[in-house]
Structure formats: C-alpha cells, structure tokens
Amino acid sequence: MVALAVLLLVDRGLIALDDPIARHWPGFRTEASVRQLLTHTAGLPFFPVPRDAAAWSDWDLLCADLAAAAPEWPPGTVAAEHALTYGHLTGELVRRVDGRSPERFVAEEIARPWRLDLGFGTTEPHRCADLEFDGPDRAAELLGAPGSVHARAVSNPHGARDLAVLNSDLWRRAVIPAVNLHATADALAPLLFGLLAGGVLDGRRPAQRGARDRPRVRALLRPGPVPRPGQPPGDSACSWNRTGPGGMGGLGGNAAWARPGDRPHHRVRHPPDRRLRPGRGHRRGYFLGTTSHLTPGPADSVPSRNGKHHGKGGGS
C-alpha cells in the first residue's frame, strides 16, 4: 500500500524512480534509488539495531536506524525481500517528499477518494480479529533457517511472529506499513480492480494524468531480474509475472490478488469463532482479505461504494 503512495508521488512528478533516496531524505547513507527501494534491491532488508517490540511504536527511531545503516550488498545487485523495513523506508520517503505521515497520506489520497475501509495505525483495534497459528511450530516455520537472510529480516524488532504482540493494541495502533495494513475484503477488491483499471475507480482517480513519470509495472521492471542472496549471477529465478495474477499475501494465510481480464468479485467466508487460522476459514474467491479481519464499523466509518459499511476482511 505504501508503495502505491510512492508511485502516486511519481505520477505527480514530485519524485522520479531513478532519484537517489538521499536526494529527498538528507542523511540517508545508502546510495540506492527509489526504483531499487520499490523492487526490494536497496540492500537494507534488516533493521540494523536490535530493538524490542516497543520500538514498533517509535517511527522516528526505526527510520533513523535505517538512514544510518550500511547496505548488506551494493544496491541493485541482490533482490531480497525487505520484509519489515520496506514500509519504513517507503513511508519515510513519502513523508519527506509530501510532508504527511504515510498513514495520513494513504488515508487522504487512497482510502478516502476510493471509499476504502483500510489503513495503518487503526484507532479501532477492537474491530481486529485475533490471529492464531494452526500449529505449535508455525512461528518457527515462518522464521526459516536460523541465520538466513529471511530469518534476520523478520526477527528484528521483536514481535512480527509473536501472537502476543500481533494481537496487541501496540501492534494494531502502530504504523508498520510493510506488514500491518488493516483492511476489509470489501476494500481490497475494489482497490485492486481500480489499479487494474489504470488507477480509476467509479470515476475517481487519485493519480494525476500527464505526469512526467507514470507509475507502470514495466517501469519498475526495466533493469531486469537480479539474483537473490546465494543465487548464482545470471540466474533469473527471481522474476516477476507480467501477465498472471498479482497481489499480496498475509501472515494469517489469506491473500488478495487480481488477474488481468477478470471482473472484480469476491466471496467472504469466516470461521465460526471469527478467528483466522492459516489453512482454515480463508476468505475465498477472486479477491481475498488479509490476515486479521475487521468487523463492521460504526455509522461514521468509511462507507462502501454502494453506501453500505464494510463488514468483512482486513489484515496486515
């Protein structure tokens, strides 16, 4: 979601994909471009300073850690998911360019114009379903091989695999754009449909036409595939599917995806106890919700496009 915010700034001519991040973020040490940041090739897949879960509520602290960090490898040479750092890197870039915090930008420039019940730093944590793992070993499985790039990427700050943290008000109220978007399935379906339609939904377009550097997937792909950590140079296993389904996955086993050429539709099915478990009670259909659903909002919540309130879906 915050990547879309960056692309809106690109679309409006306020930033270019090949700009050095440091041009907009003074003091940012890594010589990476906006394009490399968006494609997970900036070389900053880990938060460099060990932090406990309380750090998730301190945006400035974590961004300062990233600004001072040295890249793990030269930017543009290795593709490695910036699993937790991505949202702070892109979100702070949005803040530096636009002046608004990433959660405010998403709320005012994406959610509100398209009437989507989604956002970061929820003020209604009671609407979020508790996340449950489907087995006692799930947290360890999510970590992967100890010491691996993935394990390091998801382990610091603490909490991204700890249910006590994930289900806490601290996590739900924090702004962690890489992983804690809370949304309804009824919001994600039109969101992806609007993106497939060129950024227009019900006649509303957050992006401006005629900007100097339009956000197109092919623009992000222009440099070509780059190897993952440990992958031989020239191996193209790290690539993008240009024509098939695309979307996002969630920790709870749910996902949202879109396939070009299909009509937007979704079916939503909740488990009886309204808790989400990987492999059970998934939101099924063309578009799916993500990891933790939101219950129907109050009368003043964001209305759906048909005037009713969203009551299903949501996640991080």
Side-chain angles (χ1 to χ4, degrees):
M1 182 60 63
V2 75
L4 176 58
V6 173
L7 290 176
L8 287 178
L9 296 178
V10 172
D11 194 68
R12 295 167 184 179
L14 299 176
I15 190 172
L17 290 172
D18 291 316
D19 284 353
I21 297 172
R23 178 177 298 174
H24 305 281
W25 185 344
F28 190 82
R29 179 178 176 185
T30 298
E31 296 180 358
S33 68
V34 175
R35 185 192 308 276
Q36 290 164 341
L37 172 57
L38 290 173
T39 55
H40 295 263
T41 61
L44 295 169
F46 325 122
F47 283 101
V49 181
R51 302 288 186 189
D52 60 22
W56 289 123
S57 62
D58 194 332
W59 178 268
D60 291 339
L61 174 68
L62 293 179
C63 288
D65 286 348
L66 290 171
E72 293 294 315
W73 39 77
T77 62
V78 174
E81 183 184 11
H82 291 39
L84 299 180
T85 61
Y86 191 83
H88 283 73
L89 290 166
T90 52
E92 182 65 7
L93 183 62
V94 168
R95 191 183 74 83
R96 297 276 178 161
V97 172
D98 178 79
R100 286 174 288 181
S101 64
E103 71 274 19
R104 181 182 169 192
F105 186 95
V106 167
E108 296 179 355
E109 299 291 342
I110 301 173
R112 186 177 300 168
W114 280 1
R115 302 177 185 176
L116 304 176
D117 189 3
L118 55 78
F120 301 105
T122 180
T123 59
E124 301 174 299
H126 59 280
R127 295 181 62 201
C128 303
D130 285 344
L131 178 67
E132 293 182 352
F133 293 146
D134 62 350
D137 300 325
R138 177 63 69 185
E141 293 171 359
L142 291 170
L143 178 64
S148 66
V149 171
H150 177 72
R152 295 174 63 192
V154 300
S155 297
N156 180 52
H158 173 75
R161 296 173 299 108
D162 184 339
L163 292 179
V165 176
L166 294 172
N167 294 327
S168 69
D169 279 8
L170 179 147
W171 180 271
R172 292 168 177 170
R173 292 182 183 276
V175 178
I176 314 170
V179 290
N180 85 336
L181 175 72
H182 287 85
T184 65
D186 290 330
L188 295 178
L191 169 68
L192 294 182
F193 177 65
L195 295 179
L196 284 179
V200 179
L201 182 65
D202 288 347
R204 298 180 181 87
R205 179 181 175 84
Q208 295 178 356
R209 297 184 181 274
R212 61 186 174 90
D213 197 355
R214 298 300 301 275
R216 294 290 184 261
V217 172
R218 62 177 178 269
L220 295 178
L221 296 172
R222 192 176 302 133
V226 293
R228 292 174 176 153
Q231 187 178 338
D235 188 331
S236 60
C238 181
S239 61
W240 297 81
N241 188 339
R242 296 171 184 254
T243 59
M248 65 195 80
L251 178 65
N254 294 300
W257 74 88
R259 185 172 60 210
D262 281 0
R263 292 183 178 182
H265 66 276
H266 64 283
R267 300 191 305 274
V268 181
R269 180 164 59 89
H270 295 290
D273 63 357
R274 300 178 63 80
R275 294 170 181 262
L276 301 184
R277 303 179 180 88
R280 294 176 292 180
H282 291 185
R283 298 170 178 81
R284 303 296 297 276
Y286 172 60
F287 297 112
L288 281 76
T290 46
T291 57
S292 58
H293 76 260
L294 297 178
T295 58
D300 60 351
S301 64
V302 179
S304 66
R305 294 181 298 124
N306 61 8
K308 298 179 181 178
H309 294 290
H310 299 287
K312 309 178 183 72
S316 57

